[in-house]
Amino acid sequence: MNLVADTWFQIQRHIRTQFRMPVWIFVNLFQPIVWLVLFTQVFKSLSDMPGLGGTSYLQFFAPGVVVMTVMFGSAWAGMGMLHDIDMGILSKMLATPATRGSIIMSRVIASMVMLIVQALIIFTIAVIMGVDLATGVPGVLLTILLVSMLGLGFAAFSNGLALLLRREEPLIGVITFATLPIMFLSSTMMPADLLPGWLDTVRHFNPVDYAVVGVRGLVMDGYIWSDLWRSLVVLFGWAALGTAFGTMMFRAKAE
Amino acid sequence: MSVIVTHHLTKVFPGGVRAVDGIDFEVNAGEIFGFLGPNGAGKTTTIKMLNTLIEPTSGTAVVAGFDICKNPAEVRKRIGYVAQDVGVDERATGRENLTLYGHFYRLDSKTIKKRVKEIFELVDLAGYEDKIVSTYSGGMRKRLDIAMGLIHRPEVIFLDEPTAGLDPQTRVRIWDYIRNLAKAMGVTIFLTTHYMEEADHLADRIAIIDLGKIITMGTPDELKQSISGDVVTLSLLTAEDDDHNELMRRTESALSAEPFVIGTQAVGDKLAVYVDNGESAVPSIMRLLAGQGIEVETISMARPSLDDVFLKYTGRTIRAEEGTATTFAQIRRKRIRRQQ
């Protein structure tokens, strides 16, 4: 019970903090919109290519934007933890009876809440721009489940890394270094059929690809349960792995 | 009754550094106990062990009736911790900061509300409850920081370098608040500091720690009386083209060679000379320096201070190490703030 209460009070703190930074909110809402508009312009002629089967690039790419937004957003989640370490907030908290698990859990869940709101906004804009959601509202809910698992894994890893590295420079370095390749080593930007053979193999080890495949199926094709189940299982595994890493680092490194 | 009792408390960090080396001491209920030592002496490591933030390598301590190793959860309920870095959330209001901590200590919302009012008055922050902390001054933040350690009415509160990095005026005000707390709440205070004046002004009893060991312990007066002898402070008359530092060095080496001089120490542009007997030393010093062609501008004699106590027991001055640490902490804090 204490764990739930402590987590709840800290989630409030984290979300309140974010809403007190209007610029941050603005940037986070507009970035995915920029992606939707800009990328679909850049890759407009791709609509004619065989892998897309005649659908617009927007229809193909919109699920990718949802996944990308969640991945980038959650990958930076550790910066907040680092701030608390730097400002002495973490060690002060650790000297109170606050449950240990709540400190990292509240951060991860707060990131999720913000990202789910973003994902919903992207869907709304995508629909306004002409994207046709094959599975409608239930599909959006399933999408939320998929990307939440993806984001939870990334946010937990990011928090774990913050505790391990303890400084901004290396953390920023690792996140920047990792996120772009992770995105490109998937079928986020390109249909899988058009990827070179080695990349098509590599993407099967990338949680982002499972999220993209799952969400894209829901948006473009309807319920392809074989793909969906695989995505769900892999992403649950990814979330569990991230949580295990984050918790381990917290136990080992949060003095 | 003792609120803190340590038994051979030891912390060895990976790499073999014995940060705290088998210390034993007791802190009585209701007293202000000062832990005085230079940076790196083991003060913060000790406080972190007593706060259950790190585990001792060997030995243990009983804090507020519970063993820090066997029962850390019970210890945490009964202590307040105010770290050297101001651990407040600058992007939240004072009330939000305090309320979160109230919840951590399992207080109900009504009690929290009542205590927030009380505590804000106690640390003279009434009216600022709902202002964002980033608008607070440094001294106000420190007061809020201390307030956060009090919301659950702990039996003992740990203050780690409570005035490090604050300007002298703010420092004196924080001292007042700390003294008020001890009186108003009857709380036992364990405080670490590397400021002699702070320990001297605040603490009922002082332990001097250096290189992980307690060197001596007692009331400020007892410690000062433990040094026999006096301190003679002199300033030198420097002609305009003379090099003052060079002159100080010459004076120091000339005096150090004398049997009646226990030690010398530069204090700003003055020189402190520790001697067995000040009354007979003053004429001797004057004669000696005159013989060397060194002119003395002023000379005075006093009983030893805590600085002198520290010098006697460690052979070093605590002041030499003061500047750098503060500066680094300030740079880091500024850097963090800039990035927000």
Side-chain angles (χ1 to χ4, degrees):
Chain A
M1 256 345 271
N2 285 342
L3 177 70
V4 177
D6 287 346
T7 307
W8 170 237
F9 291 122
Q10 288 174 82
I11 287 175
Q12 289 179 341
R13 173 190 162 216
H14 301 317
I15 291 182
R16 207 169 43 209
T17 304
Q18 298 190 322
F19 274 101
R20 289 203 176 131
M21 298 182 284
V23 176
W24 188 90
I25 298 283
F26 180 84
V27 168
N28 276 277
L29 289 185
F30 274 79
Q31 189 177 44
I33 298 172
V34 170
W35 274 341
L36 274 179
V37 177
L38 189 70
F39 278 88
T40 48
Q41 289 299 307
V42 171
F43 296 115
K44 204 173 171 85
S45 50
L46 288 184
S47 302
D48 310 329
M49 293 179 92
L52 282 171
T55 48
S56 73
Y57 189 72
L58 176 65
Q59 180 88 10
F60 169 81
F61 187 54
V65 173
V66 174
V67 172
M68 270 166 60
T69 304
V70 170
M71 183 195 60
F72 284 126
S74 51
W76 289 100
M79 295 300 285
M81 178 68 87
L82 208 57
H83 170 264
D84 276 9
I85 295 173
D86 268 346
M87 300 301 287
I89 295 173
L90 180 64
S91 56
K92 195 174 169 78
M93 267 185 198
L94 288 173
T96 74
T99 41
R100 298 327 196 217
S102 72
I103 294 174
I104 194 158
M105 251 172 68
S106 64
R107 287 211 161 273
V108 172
I109 295 173
S111 306
M112 286 309 88
V113 172
M114 300 303 283
L115 290 166
I116 287 169
V117 173
Q118 273 180 280
L120 290 174
I121 291 170
I122 297 168
F123 266 125
T124 312
I125 293 164
V127 168
I128 293 169
M129 284 173 72
V131 170
D132 187 24
L133 301 176
T135 50
V137 174
V140 172
L141 295 179
L142 261 175
T143 297
I144 297 297
L145 181 66
L146 287 168
V147 295
S148 296
M149 290 303 117
L150 179 78
L152 201 144
F154 271 105
F157 262 111
S158 183
N159 276 290
L161 277 175
L163 288 158
L164 180 68
L165 300 171
R166 301 223 143 224
R167 292 188 56 87
E168 286 152 24
E169 295 86 348
L171 183 65
I172 292 170
V174 170
I175 295 170
T176 322
F177 174 77
T179 44
L180 272 182
I182 288 176
M183 187 189 70
F184 281 109
L185 292 175
S186 74
S187 54
T188 309
M189 316 285 284
M190 273 291 155
D193 306 345
L194 298 183
L195 293 172
W198 69 270
L199 227 160
D200 197 34
T201 313
V202 169
R203 75 183 176 94
H204 289 296
F205 296 94
N206 184 352
V208 169
D209 194 68
Y210 288 89
V212 169
V213 168
V215 178
R216 186 170 290 150
L218 288 166
V219 171
M220 294 179 69
D221 307 314
Y223 300 101
I224 308 169
W225 285 109
S226 58
D227 277 354
L228 267 177
W229 277 120
R230 195 167 44 231
S231 290
L232 276 172
V233 169
V234 169
L235 290 172
F236 266 104
W238 166 249
L241 201 68
T243 309
F245 175 76
T247 316
M248 205 174 74
M249 284 302 126
F250 193 77
R251 285 193 204 294
K253 300 284 175 181
E255 57 178 35
Chain B
M1 204 198 78
S2 300
V3 177
I4 303 171
V5 185
T6 71
H7 304 283
H8 224 70
L9 195 65
T10 302
K11 181 71 187 180
V12 184
F13 283 113
V17 180
R18 296 182 83 82
V20 176
D21 198 359
I23 58 175
D24 293 288
F25 63 88
E26 287 189 28
V27 178
N28 303 320
E31 77 175 337
I32 302 182
F33 186 83
F35 220 48
L36 176 69
N39 293 309
K43 302 188 302 282
T44 300
T45 308
T46 305
I47 228 173
K48 282 189 169 168
M49 284 192 282
L50 296 177
N51 277 316
T52 76
L53 288 178
I54 53 176
E55 280 175 27
T57 311
S58 65
T60 189
V62 176
V63 176
F66 290 91
D67 190 294
I68 55 165
C69 298
K70 292 185 200 126
N71 231 329
E74 291 301 318
V75 172
R76 281 178 208 133
K77 285 181 199 167
R78 292 167 176 80
I79 60 165
Y81 172 46
V82 183
Q84 186 168 352
D85 287 320
V86 177
V88 299
D89 183 358
E90 298 192 344
R91 298 182 291 202
T93 65
R95 186 192 302 280
E96 284 162 359
N97 268 295
L98 219 53
T99 305
L100 182 63
Y101 272 64
H103 287 306
F104 285 160
Y105 290 107
R106 317 292 164 221
L107 303 176
D108 61 77
S109 299
K110 218 176 113 192
T111 314
I112 292 174
K113 222 175 156 186
K114 211 176 84 209
R115 298 243 176 118
V116 167
K117 195 173 175 323
E118 282 171 18
I119 292 174
F120 267 79
E121 272 164 24
L122 186 69
V123 295
D124 203 11
L125 282 175
Y128 290 94
E129 289 91 336
D130 297 311
K131 299 257 190 310
I132 302 275
V133 174
S134 56
T135 63
Y136 285 24
S137 69
M140 288 164 74
R141 281 175 212 210
K142 193 68 212 181
R143 265 136 63 196
L144 175 66
D145 195 33
I146 294 173
M148 283 163 75
L150 294 170
I151 183 110
H152 55 301
R153 300 204 170 133
E155 286 177 43
V156 51
I157 181 160
F158 293 88
L159 305 174
D160 194 2
E161 301 273 1
T163 63
L166 297 177
D167 61 85
Q169 272 178 328
T170 313
R171 179 174 303 160
V172 172
R173 285 187 73 191
I174 298 281
W175 288 350
D176 288 340
Y177 291 114
I178 293 173
R179 232 181 271 117
N180 280 346
L181 288 183
K183 229 180 285 163
M185 302 185 81
V187 60
T188 308
I189 297 177
F190 180 95
L191 109 137
T192 73
T193 182
H194 65 279
Y195 296 118
M196 294 290 174
E197 320 89 272
E198 188 157 293
D200 207 355
H201 271 82
L202 280 178
D204 299 314
R205 283 196 308 136
I206 295 172
I208 292 186
I209 179 169
D210 191 37
L211 302 173
K213 287 191 160 121
I214 289 180
I215 296 162
T216 182
M217 206 163 11
T219 67
D221 284 338
E222 278 168 6
L223 290 179
K224 284 181 234 169
Q225 278 158 16
S226 74
I227 313 191
S228 56
D230 299 303
V231 51
V232 175
T233 307
L234 49 92
S235 65
L236 303 172
L237 196 65
T238 331
E240 267 176 49
D241 52 351
D242 258 335
D243 183 358
H244 184 258
N245 289 338
E246 175 56 30
L247 197 61
M248 288 279 277
R249 255 197 306 278
R250 260 179 60 210
T251 313
E252 258 189 290
S253 63
L255 290 174
S256 306
E258 292 303 312
F260 66 88
V261 174
I262 303 167
T264 60
Q265 183 199 339
V267 184
D269 56 355
K270 295 190 173 174
L271 187 70
V273 185
Y274 299 95
V275 295
D276 291 326
N277 183 333
E279 272 132 33
S280 68
V282 170
S284 307
I285 290 172
M286 296 295 286
R287 221 175 11 251
L288 184 81
L289 294 182
Q292 300 253 343
I294 300 169
E295 272 189 88
V296 175
E297 191 180 23
T298 64
I299 189 159
S300 62
M301 190 186 88
R303 292 285 307 147
S305 68
L306 272 181
D307 284 284
D308 307 319
V309 175
F310 188 80
L311 183 77
K312 182 199 161 181
Y313 283 104
T314 65
R316 289 182 295 121
T317 153
I318 210 167
R319 291 208 174 155
E321 287 152 75
E322 220 170 69
T324 46
T326 317
T327 317
F328 274 128
Q330 281 166 347
I331 289 170
R332 179 132 186 84
R333 236 165 270 147
K334 262 185 212 149
R335 196 172 67 88
I336 290 164
R337 236 167 256 145
R338 207 175 44 233
Q339 280 161 357
Q340 276 168 359

